[in-house]
Amino acid sequence: RLRQGDRGRALADLDAAIRIEPRNARVLGLRGRTHQENGQHDRALADLNAALAIERTNIELLMQRGLLLWQQGNAAGTIADLTEVLRRNARNADAYRIRGLAHARSGDSARTIADLTQAVALGVRNAEVYLARAAANERQGQAQAAIADYRAAQQIDRGSAAARDGLRRLGAG
């Protein structure tokens, strides 16, 4: 029913499945994702926490909860979950990307740069990544690296006001 876009009916089906098998981490995770898509973040978090209590090392559930925590503005929770994801799969570019952005949100420039550099090395091409890394480089006094990242962001998003302003601020635009 999820594939058909009927989230209400899908939630009813998932509720029924959980009543039958309350310790099914897969179903709890799916219901959590459905709640998340419906904007019901508290319910989504409760389901993901319950699923992870059953399968603590499930990378997909950790990634899903990390993304939900990111959406909620919880940088510390995002960092914790994605650190565990990366401990188990060091080639997860999306985990590096989101964790790097969470480090940026928390003001940790060195970790922002490290994670976003790894995300780029693993193939991420995203203006947001380059802008966050540029700002972190700028805070670290690394003007040339910041300029390179602002230019990379401009290549991806030609209308980026943030990239244009950063280049101007650094005397390169």
Side-chain angles (χ1 to χ4, degrees), residues 83-96:
T83 296
E84 184 62 24
V85 167
L86 290 166
R87 193 173 76 70
R88 297 175 182 289
N89 178 6
R91 299 205 44 83
N92 188 321
D94 207 35
Y96 279 111

Side-chain angles (χ1 to χ4, degrees), residues 88-110:
R88 297 175 182 289
N89 178 6
R91 299 205 44 83
N92 188 321
D94 207 35
Y96 279 111
R97 178 181 67 85
I98 298 296
R99 190 176 75 171
L101 294 172
H103 283 305
R105 184 179 280 172
S106 69
D108 188 336
S109 295

Side-chain angles (χ1 to χ4, degrees), residues 19-36:
R19 280 192 298 278
I20 294 166
E21 196 175 348
R23 293 194 46 81
N24 186 322
R26 184 178 170 278
V27 175
L28 284 163
L30 187 55
R31 187 173 73 175
R33 179 177 297 127
T34 304
H35 282 309
Q36 185 176 0

Side-chain angles (χ1 to χ4, degrees), residues 7-123:
R7 288 190 189 133
R9 187 70 185 137
L11 280 170
D13 291 346
L14 291 166
D15 289 342
I18 289 168
R19 280 192 298 278
I20 294 166
E21 196 175 348
R23 293 194 46 81
N24 186 322
R26 184 178 170 278
V27 175
L28 284 163
L30 187 55
R31 187 173 73 175
R33 179 177 297 127
T34 304
H35 282 309
Q36 185 176 0
E37 290 169 357
N38 285 342
Q40 300 167 316
H41 291 168
D42 290 341
R43 288 182 175 180
L45 187 57
D47 280 344
L48 292 171
N49 286 339
L52 282 163
I54 297 163
E55 289 187 22
R56 178 66 195 136
T57 61
N58 185 309
I59 291 175
E60 290 176 20
L61 291 171
L62 284 164
M63 188 72 186
Q64 186 177 339
R65 186 174 70 180
L67 290 170
L68 174 61
L69 293 170
W70 169 250
Q71 289 174 340
Q72 292 181 315
N74 181 341
T78 299
I79 291 165
D81 278 358
L82 298 184
T83 296
E84 184 62 24
V85 167
L86 290 166
R87 193 173 76 70
R88 297 175 182 289
N89 178 6
R91 299 205 44 83
N92 188 321
D94 207 35
Y96 279 111
R97 178 181 67 85
I98 298 296
R99 190 176 75 171
L101 294 172
H103 283 305
R105 184 179 280 172
S106 69
D108 188 336
S109 295
R111 288 191 171 128
T112 298
I113 293 165
D115 277 357
L116 296 181
T117 297
Q118 188 62 32
V120 168
L122 291 170

